[in-house]
Amino acid sequence: MSRAVIGMLVGMALAFAGFFGGFGAFLLVAALGAVGAVVGRLLDDGTDWRDFLAPRDRRTR
C-alpha cells in the first residue's frame, strides 16, 4: 500500500471522527494514530530509542 493511500485513509478516518464525534473525537483519533505510527516504526526499525530519536541520516544502520 502506497503512502498516498495510507494518508488518504488516515484523512478519511479523521474526517469521519470529526464529523460524527466532534472535535474531541478528532483529537483522540489523531493522537491514537500518532501513537500507532510511532509503535509501528519502532517495530519496523527495532526498539532502540536512541536510533528512533536520531535523524535518519545519522543512524548507524
Side-chain angles (χ1 to χ4, degrees):
M1 193 179 295
S2 71
R3 290 183 181 176
V5 173
I6 292 171
M8 180 188 67
L9 292 174
V10 169
M12 289 174 62
L14 289 172
F16 278 117
F19 183 76
F20 292 111
F23 188 68
F26 172 82
L27 290 178
L28 179 65
V29 170
L32 291 177
V35 169
V38 168
V39 169
R41 185 169 166 204
L42 283 174
L43 291 176
D44 282 347
D45 293 344
T47 55
D48 189 9
W49 282 97
R50 290 173 288 165
D51 283 343
F52 179 74
L53 295 175
R56 285 192 180 260
D57 59 342
R58 294 188 182 183
R59 290 187 186 178
T60 58
R61 294 182 186 178

